[in-house]
Amino acid sequence: MTLEKNYDPKAFEASIYEKWEQNGGFAADPSSSSTPFVVMIPPPNVTGSLHVGHALNMTLQDVLVRFRRMQGRDVLWQPGTDHAGIATQLMVERELIREGSSREAIGRPDFLERVWQWKHQQGHAITSQLRRLGASPDWSRERFTMDEGLSRAVVRTFNLLYRDGLIYRARRLVNWDPKFGSAISDLEVEMREVNGNLWYVRYPVADSEQVIVVATTRPETMLGDVAVAVHPEDDRYRDFIGKHVVVPITGRKIQIIADRHSDPEKGTGAVKITPAHDFNDFAVGQRHDLPAPSVLDKKGRITLSEIRTECQSENPLFLEGLNGLDRFEARHRIVEQLDALNMLERVEAHLHAVPYGDRSGVPIEPLLTDQWFCNAAELAKPAIAAVEQGQITFVPKQWENTYFSWMRSIEPWCISRQLWWGHRIPAWFGPDGAIFVAESTTTAYEQAAQHYGHDVHLTQDEDVLDTWFSSALWPFSTLGWPDLKPELARYYPGDVLVSGFDIIFFWVARMIMMGLYVMGKEPFHTVYMHGLVRDERGQKMSKTRGNVVDPLALIERFGADALRYTVIAQSGTGRNIKLGPRLVEANRSFVTKLWNAARFCEMNSCWPDPAFRAEDAKLVLSRWILDTANRTIIDATHALENFRLSEYAMICYRFAWADFCDWYLELAKPGLGAEDAAELRGVTSYVLGVLLRLLHPVIPFVTEELWGHFGYGVSGSLIRASWPEVVLVPEAPEARHEIAWLVRLVSEIRAIRHEMNVPASSQISVLVRDASPTVLVRIDRWRDAVGRLARVASVETLKGDMPTGFAQALLDDATFILPLADIIDLAVERNRLAVSRSKAAGEVEKIERKLNNQDFIAHAPEEIVHENQQRLDTARAEVLRLDAALARIR
RNA sequence: GGGCGGUUAGCUCAGCGGUAGAGCGUCUCGUUUACACCGAGAGGGUCGGCGGUUCGAAUCCGUCACCGCCCA
C-alpha cells in the first residue's frame, strides 16, 4: 500500500499510540543494565483538563525523554495526578449544591466517598488527553497523591519533621480565606492593586482637648485597635508618646506608642495598631506586648466577643448592631457613623495593594488561628547550598537568583488547611489538648496511654495538609518510599525537572527541601524552567479575554505533531511562549513537507537497505548529503543535550527542508532514474531514516508512521530505535565545496533570469569562459542538474567571439555568459553589475581602512588580520572581474 | 520601593567582542517527474537613546527611556 497523497494525522495517531503503549514502548526497565534517565511529571490536577501550559510542559519533557530513550537510556518518566485539595473539593461541592445538597449535609465520610467516586469515574480525563498529545510516560507506574502508598509517605514525613521539631503547632496570624474557610499559605495570596480610600479618623487624646488623626484603609478593624503608633523620631508626636487616645465607636482607651513601623511620610504619620488583623501590626504588638483581640470571625464577619467587655461605647446599640455584619458592610456603617460623630476628618482616594486568595478571588483576612507550621527556613539551608554548590543547576541560570532570594528570606510554611479532601493531619488531641503525632491511630493511642498512664479518648485533628506538602514528596513517594523498593534505589535521585517558573516556589523549591531532608539527596540535578504560554499577540490567556487556546482543538485540526513542533519551536525564547492556530497551521506545513518527501522516496523505491555503507558512497551528491546529515546529527544532539529544544527543532527543519528536499532530492531526481539509481536509493533511504529518527522526539506520530511504512523496523518500533550516529564519509570537504559551488551557480542563473524577466518556460543556453579544469569537470558533472534546476538547455565553453546581448554570472574565476540577445535590457544588466561592483568596492574600502590601521595590525589576533587580508584579496578580485564584465558590455 | 528579564527586518525570535541572521509574512514570477500545506527570486534593519572601555561593540561597562514579571 502506498502512502496517502494527503497527510492526515487522524488516520494513524491513535493507532500508533496504542502500539507504543501495548508494546511497552514507554516502560522503564529496572532490571536493565543501562543508565537510568528519570523525569518526574509535574502531576496535573486530577480535576484538570489539558491546557496549553500542559501542552508545552509535557511536550518539552516528552522530547527529552524520547531522545534519551533512543540514546539507549533506561527512561523512567513517572506519571500521575495530584488530588488538588481545594480545587477538587470545590468541584464536588458544586455538584452537591446542584443536587440541592451540601458537604455539611452529607457529612465528612460520605463526602469523601463522593470525591473518590468522582475520581474513579472522571479522574482520567487529563491522562487520556496527555495520550492524545503523544506523551510517553510509563503509565503502568501511574500514581495519585492520595494513593495508599503516597499517603503513607506523607504521614511518615510529617512524623519525621515533627520528631525533629521542624513541624509545630502554633497560634499565629495566618492568611485566612473567608470563602474557603481555610488558612492558605503566603504563596497562595496575590496582591492586587485596588482603588480604595484612605480614611482620616480623629482619635481624641484622653483627658485633653487634643486629637490625633490616624489614616487607615480599613476602618472596620478599628474595633480591634490596641494602640496608636508614631515614629520615635517624629517631632510632631513626641509629646504624645505614652499618652492614651479614646477609640471612636468602641470608646476603648489605648496607648500611644513609639515604633519604627509607622512611617512619618505616610498618612498622618500616626497609625492604628490592630494586631489580630494585620501582619505588620501583629509584629508591633509583639514588640510592645500588646493584646490581639480578633474582631472578625472565620467568615469575615464582625464579632464583638473578644472586645465587648473592654468597650465603653457611648452608643452601645450601634456597636451591637455591627455584630455579625459582613466586613464590607461593617466598613460602610462605621464610616457613616464616624462621619456623623464628626470623627472623620477627610477621605482620600487611595490606590493600594490588597491581598486576594489566588483561587477564591476574595480578599484575604489575616486571622489569628491555631495552625500547623513547617520550619521552612531550616529546610531551606541545605536546599540553598545544593544550588550554590552546583549539585542542582537551573536552566536558564538566572532562575537561581529567584530561587535564592526567596529561599533566603523564607517564612514558616502554614501547612494545615481547613478542608476535608486531602491528607488528614496525623495528630491526635488528648482530653487536655496534649498532642500526639503518630503514624496511625493505634500508635497515637499507645502514646497517649503511656503519657496519661491510662487509656483516654483521642480526637484526630480535623484538618488536612496543604496539597503541595504531598507534591513536595513526589520524586520519592512515587518510587515506593517509605518502602525500600529496588525502584527507589535505581531511580532516585532523578535527572531533570521540567517546570514553568510560576511554580518554582510552590513545588520546585519544596521538592528540593523535602528530597534533601527525607532522602539526603537532591531529587534532580537539572531544573529546566520554561516560560508561560501566551496567545499569538503575546497576551495572557484568559476566559474573559476570550483568547484561550484549546490544545485539543489544535490537535483535532492540525494533528498532535504540528502542535508539538510549534510549542518546541517557540520554547526557545525568554518567558513567554506564543501560541495560536496560525502558528500551528504554519508548522503543519513542515510535517506535510516531510510526508511528501517520504512519498517521493517511496515513488522512487528508496527502501531501507541494511547493507548500505556510507563509506562506499562514490557520488559527490551522496557524500554531500551524508556529510550534511552528519553535521545535523552533531548539532541536533548538542542542542538537545543542552536543553536548547527550539534550536534542535530548527536544525532539523533546515536539514529536512532546505538541504534534503530543496537540493538533495532535486539534484537526485535525474540520477534516481538512471545508472546511479542503486547508490542514490541507498543514500536517500539512509538519510530519510536519519531524518525520521532525528525528528521522532518532536514529531513522534508521523515519523513512527513513516518508519513502519518504509520498513525501517516493525510498526511502532521507532520509539525504541537507536539515535542516529555519524558515519564515515569519504572526501566530505570536497563534496561540500562542490555542492556549494553548484548551489551558487544555479542561484545566480535563477536570479538573472528573474531580473531580466526571462519567461520561466524558455530554456536558455549558457556559455562559460575562464573556467579552470576543476570547474570544467564540475560543469560536466552537473550539466543536467543545472539544466533542470535553472532551466538551461546547454552549458558549453565559449569558443570564438562573445555573443551579442548577454548577462554575466561571475563565480570565482569563471564567468558564465547568458546570451539573451532578444530579451536583454543592457541598461538593466549594466546596473545589476554596477550594484555588485559598488558593493564589492565598498567592501574593499572597508577592509583596506582596517588593514591600514596600525593599531589593528598591532592588537588584533593574527588569524583575524589574516582573515581580513584574504577577504580583501577576494573582494579586489571581485571588483576586477566585475570591471571586466562591465567592459564587455560597454 | 527592591530585584530579574526584555528592547535586533512588518511579526516571532537567534546571534552575545571580529563580514547583521532565520522562520513566518510582504512583493514579483511560476504548475518543471513528492509537495500550492509547493517552487524560484526580491525587497526590508543607523541591532531602544546617550556616554564609556576596546584596534574593533548588536555583543562588555555605565546611564536613561519604555515594556513585562517577581518580591515588598
Side-chain angles (χ1 to χ4, degrees), chain A residues 194-271:
Chain A
V194 168
N195 282 309
N197 289 317
L198 200 54
W199 285 274
Y200 288 77
V201 183
R202 298 196 176 102
Y203 281 38
V205 178
D207 310 318
S208 97
E209 296 300 303
Q210 291 172 299
V211 160
I212 280 190
V213 177
V214 166
T216 179
T217 58
R218 303 206 54 192
E220 70 278 13
T221 63
M222 68 189 289
L223 304 179
D225 284 356
V226 295
V228 165
V230 297
H231 196 274
E233 277 146 42
D234 191 335
D235 289 338
R236 292 173 294 178
Y237 298 110
R238 185 151 293 167
D239 295 340
F240 289 99
I241 297 169
K243 292 187 175 169
H244 290 75
V245 290
V246 177
V247 182
I249 296 180
T250 61
R252 289 179 67 198
K253 221 184 249 186
I254 60 176
Q255 209 182 11
I256 299 167
I257 59 172
D259 193 283
R260 295 181 176 278
H261 161 63
S262 81
D263 181 353
E265 307 284 306
K266 265 184 175 163
T268 61
V271 289

Side-chain angles (χ1 to χ4, degrees), chain A residues 848-858:
Chain A
E848 274 176 343
R849 210 180 312 134
K850 200 179 243 189
L851 287 169
N852 289 336
N853 182 345
Q854 286 313 303
D855 287 334
F856 175 73
I857 302 294

Side-chain angles (χ1 to χ4, degrees), chain A residues 431-491:
Chain A
D432 60 351
I435 297 169
F436 302 95
V437 169
E439 296 203 19
S440 68
T441 315
T442 323
T443 30
Y445 270 90
E446 282 165 17
Q447 281 180 30
Q450 199 160 19
H451 174 79
Y452 292 107
H454 57 86
D455 288 343
V456 294
H457 177 72
L458 297 180
T459 326
Q460 186 172 3
D461 194 316
E462 293 289 320
D463 294 346
V464 300
L465 286 164
D466 181 2
T467 302
W468 294 103
F469 189 91
S470 53
S471 316
L473 317 181
W474 188 250
F476 48 90
S477 63
T478 49
L479 298 174
W481 188 89
D483 297 341
L484 301 178
K485 298 197 169 144
E487 277 87 346
L488 185 65
R490 181 167 172 78
Y491 300 123

Side-chain angles (χ1 to χ4, degrees), chain A residues 619 621 666-678 680-681 788:
Chain A
L619 302 169
L621 181 61
E666 291 304 328
L667 289 169
K669 273 176 185 172
L672 278 167
E675 70 274 18
D676 296 327
L680 284 175
R681 281 199 186 115
R788 284 173 39 78

